Amino acid sequence: WVQSRALDDLIDYTWEQRTKVEGLGLAVLQVFCDRPPDATTNATLRAVAAAHKGAVALMVFRTETSSHMMEDYGFAADAPMPRLGVSPSFEYDAPKYAYAGELAAAPIIAYVASFLGGELRPTLKSADAPTEAWVAGTARVVVGSTLRSEVVESDDDVLIAFHAPYGFDEVNATLARLARLAVSAAPALKIATFNTMSNAFEPALFPGVDKYHADPIVMVWSGKGEGRSMKRLTKGKPTLKTLLPFAKKHSPALKSHWDTVKAALDDDNKRIADEKAKAKAKAAAELVELKEKAEAAKIERLCCDGDDGITKKVLVAGSGEMRPKRGAR
């Protein structure tokens, strides 16, 4: 009790000071500045510190060294400096609450009081939301600012993949195919993606989902209102073979259109098989042609001693106006 009230009103961020505040279990009002606060701002912040002494520590961060922490609050690019945000702790997944009001003591004190009273909804770091309408048959990119409205509180069934920006190409191609097959047949099922490096989410709504994950995390949201719930894919990699039965089990929209989706899948599999067969036949024909060219190719004798020695044939494979200059030779 004494130590929490003996802290300075404004604490310049250092690792030692952070450890001290964490040890006292205090929430943190983070003040991000691109230059030292002027006298008026200093007085305002000290008044806020005095009003919430013992409950919240005010810590000042310089943007040139702490911009990554500021970004987690999702401030608008044109938000004025200094920027204020309050969080219950320094943990990377702790909820963040960005202050967007007037830089004056009374509204900031009220905002912090609302935070302490549990009356605020977290502010989420967010990339720009897509401006185009969600088109059936394609996967939708969901961001921090649209996650709640387009997934959590939607009336549609939504299969969403939380992913990092790397190592996602294969799964993304699978989701695109799933969207093309399932969404067009069952319009109430939507396929979505969510980049966890560029966007934040409320951990309480997605238990067990960590921001830092190597593999994509897939879940289905279904139901309406208070009956809406989430089921997470926990077995197997997110391939079409695992995603379709998983989505069918947890998406009433997909299940009710399953015959149509299955027919679309069968047609698509046949198309892929036909394309592979054509490609295989083409490759076989090209190989025959190449062998014929090899047999007919001129032999160049390089050496030695009149007994044929070392010989060479040169074959050039390629198509189009420009043959390869190197390689394929």
Side-chain angles (χ1 to χ4, degrees):
W1 187 93
V2 172
Q3 287 179 328
S4 63
R5 285 158 180 78
L7 291 172
D8 292 340
D9 289 341
L10 294 180
I11 305 169
D12 287 326
Y13 177 80
T14 64
W15 187 260
E16 291 74 20
Q17 293 288 10
R18 168 176 170 162
T19 301
K20 181 186 293 186
V21 170
E22 286 179 320
L24 294 172
L26 299 177
V28 187
L29 178 60
Q30 296 177 274
V31 183
F32 297 98
C33 302
D34 54 358
R35 60 178 63 87
D38 58 28
T40 301
T41 302
N42 235 312
T44 297
L45 296 175
R46 291 183 184 281
V48 175
H52 293 291
K53 203 74 169 175
V56 178
L58 266 71
M59 189 165 281
V60 178
F61 298 77
R62 295 303 296 268
T63 54
E64 64 263 26
T65 57
S66 303
S67 60
H68 62 289
M69 300 177 73
M70 180 176 68
E71 289 171 359
D72 286 341
Y73 280 92
F75 290 106
D78 57 352
M81 289 287 185
R83 300 176 186 180
L84 279 63
V86 63
S87 181
S89 74
F90 287 102
E91 294 295 328
Y92 75 87
D93 59 349
K96 308 289 192 296
Y97 304 84
Y99 176 72
E102 180 187 2
L103 189 63
I108 299 174
I109 290 171
Y111 187 79
V112 176
S114 296
F115 158 75
L116 293 172
E119 301 168 11
L120 301 180
R121 177 174 288 180
T123 307
L124 299 177
K125 174 184 176 180
S126 179
D128 292 336
T131 55
E132 69 278 4
W134 196 340
V135 180
T138 63
R140 173 71 166 178
V141 175
V142 173
V143 298
S145 61
T146 62
L147 181 60
R148 179 177 280 271
S149 62
E150 295 196 17
V151 178
V152 179
E153 297 176 350
S154 174
D155 287 337
D156 295 317
D157 293 357
V158 182
L159 184 147
I160 183 170
F162 280 47
H163 68 92
Y166 43 82
F168 183 56
D169 292 347
E170 185 175 347
V171 175
N172 197 28
T174 298
L175 293 173
R177 188 179 179 212
L178 180 61
R180 180 165 49 82
L181 294 173
V183 178
S184 57
L189 173 66
K190 295 180 178 179
I191 310 299
T193 62
F194 185 89
N195 186 333
T196 55
M197 294 294 103
S198 302
N199 302 279
F201 57 91
E202 298 175 60
L205 295 175
F206 301 90
V209 179
D210 192 280
K211 174 182 177 180
Y212 299 103
H213 53 87
D215 299 319
I217 299 171
V218 178
M219 63 201 72
V220 168
W221 283 79
S222 62
K224 298 181 180 181
E226 295 182 356
R228 191 162 180 80
S229 62
M230 179 266 283
K231 297 294 182 183
R232 179 178 166 185
L233 178 68
T234 56
K235 294 182 180 179
K237 294 184 177 180
T239 63
L240 201 64
K241 189 174 181 179
T242 58
L243 289 180
L244 269 174
F246 169 72
K248 178 186 176 183
K249 181 177 180 180
H250 300 294
S251 168
L254 181 60
K255 189 172 183 179
S256 64
H257 292 80
W258 182 248
D259 289 343
T260 305
V261 173
K262 182 65 166 58
L265 176 62
D266 291 342
D267 290 343
D268 203 47
N269 284 335
K270 184 178 183 304
R271 176 187 62 80
I272 293 173
D274 290 344
E275 289 177 355
K276 287 182 177 179
K278 290 179 181 178
K280 186 176 181 180
K282 181 180 179 182
E286 290 175 348
L287 181 59
V288 170
E289 181 183 356
L290 188 60
K291 286 181 177 179
E292 291 174 350
K293 289 181 178 179
E295 291 296 328
K298 179 182 178 181
I299 295 178
E300 180 182 354
R301 287 173 170 78
L302 302 182
C303 68
C304 304
D305 301 330
D307 62 351
D308 286 346
I310 300 173
T311 62
K312 177 178 75 171
K313 290 184 180 183
V314 177
L315 302 177
V316 179
S319 62
E321 295 180 0
M322 298 293 292
R323 290 186 178 276
K325 294 182 179 179
R326 292 180 298 177
R329 212 168 160 81

